[in-house]
Amino acid sequence: MLLAMPRLGKRALALGVDVALCVLTVWLAFYLRLDEWVRLSGEGNFQPQWAVLLSVAIALPLFIVHGFYRVIFRYSGLAAMRMVLRAFALYAFLYITVVTAIGLPGVPRSIGILQPMLLFLAVSATRALARYWLGGDYQAIVARMNRPKAVIYGAGATGRQLATAMTNSAEMQVIAFVDDDDRLHGHVLNNLPIHSPQDLAGLVQTKGVRTVLLAMPSLARTRRNAILAALRPIRVAVRTLPNLIDMAQGRVSTADLLDLDIDDLLGREPVMPNHILLAKNVTGKVVLVTGAGGSIGSELCRQILALTPAKLLLIEQSEFALYAIHQELEPKAQSRSSVLVPLLASVQDDDRMREIMSTWHPDTVYHAAAYKHVPLVEHNPAAGIKNNVLGTLVTAQAAADHGVADFVLISTDKAVRPTNVMGASKRLAEMALQALAARAGEERHGTRFSMVRFGNVLGSSGSVVPKFRQQIREGGPITLTHPEVTRYFMTIPEAAQLVIQAGAMAKGGDVFVLDMGQPVKIIDLARRMVELSGLTVKDDENPEGDIALEVTGLRPGEKLYEELLIGDNPKPTVHPRIMKAHEEFLPWASFQAELQALEWALNANDVSVIRLKMQQLVAGYSPSDDIVDWVYLEQGAAAQG
């Protein structure tokens, strides 16, 4: 409030304080001299009012002339102190001259010496207090006291380092540790008490704890999941630290604090990769990745580069996406003596793909380029099918003609009994590779074609997790298409590793299916994210909650449930998370003829024929909506108008 006052008001206040100090210090000087309090209006032989009037008459003009009321005291420093000393030296000289040397009636001469010293101390103290209170020190202390309260879960070495790092944090104030070891309960570590996890709810109520910092990077996933489940009903935001590998090169700092890993939201127990399978088709070889700038493609590139290929060819249609992934990977490639080659290309461009294949002769191709957003492809079916089917076929045939040993297609669970164009196009791409693989098998040579089918990856460009996080930050609502929508989920790094390992097991024509664990209801995932952010869901049972859930309705082509298998006959492989499916397909000769008819319809953008041909080719394809192609709809509206 003081800082908001006008400048004249601040000067008047400072002047009034100095007048009061003149009065107070004269009164105090009389007490020190006489050892008793006297009336300022005069009492007996003593007349302190003359000493007060003289003090004010000398002090105020001197203070004004010396700029006391022009100084911004909360920013004052040595220069201001020198000014104060000069003013008080002159004040003391004048006051001593009048009171001590000349004398005033009813005023002891010693007052002339005592009062200037007292006034100097009083004025200096008020200026120092103003600097402390208004200059930031006081506000900083108040701000530190008002920081959100946090507790550290884990009183081990990592927890101690984190507590030390957070001592001066402006973001939050750590007030206690929580640890599972009952031998530590009641003890003090780094001046912080150690509590039992059962005390957390009480700390939230009594101390206002709002955040729990998980400082147990090496904890087993099962125990971590149990802790998160126990924290969900307590209404605290949960933040975590990187794993031990990420922290191996340095100490823990507040910058290391992260939102919960997507793994934590899934609760999946990770499976250690088979390093022989990872290295088989990558290490020391020329590897090509299409769609290298996409969510899956870019993670594939990161994982492949860590396995030290001789060359890694990045194929991408988007200039920005290619630039971004190349800039990210180039320093790592140089440190591993791997050659990184960024190539702008469309997988539908036969000449360009053959040019690339004939120049570098890759050993392994990972085909991740695809249009994958269900509603967008539904509204643009011809473009989606051309890219996903014809682009795959162009790339696969170019690879086969130039001696590529292994070709791995990244597929999707939406290819199983599809209800949308995107899923149907991916199933048709699988069938193309199956037909090519069968033809190569008959000829007993050629490229090993395989495909890896899995569900949604969390954190991708189309994932609900970043969308939900943004909506939570904005205060909601979280938008869901349907309360019963259920999906399989996997993290991008896990999916990329499994793709590489699955491709290494291929014999030709294999359809690999990744074990996605248990399917997750999207609404349950949303609730978990809200609760682990320290908030509550706003619904009929809790109308005072923080974040509402809003159902918007299924989008064109969207299914309530996804499947990973067309049949019920998956076979195990040497990897516990990778299965092998047997899927029916058309022989190459029949497939090629049918595909040619589809291509004619695509070039003419005859949406009705396109849909009919897709239904004929893809077993189980059952469109769930009317045609929603934008061009088709606009042309229909124009014809009616």
Side-chain angles (χ1 to χ4, degrees), residues 385-406:
I385 295 169
K386 284 180 180 178
N387 190 71
N388 293 356
V389 180
L390 302 184
T392 298
L393 196 54
V394 163
T395 308
Q397 288 180 315
D401 291 344
H402 291 90
V404 171
D406 289 277

Side-chain angles (χ1 to χ4, degrees), residues 231-250:
L231 293 176
R232 281 179 60 188
I234 299 179
R235 275 197 76 180
V236 287
V238 183
R239 300 179 73 181
T240 185
L241 288 166
N243 58 42
L244 284 176
I245 296 174
D246 296 331
M247 298 190 303
Q249 300 303 317

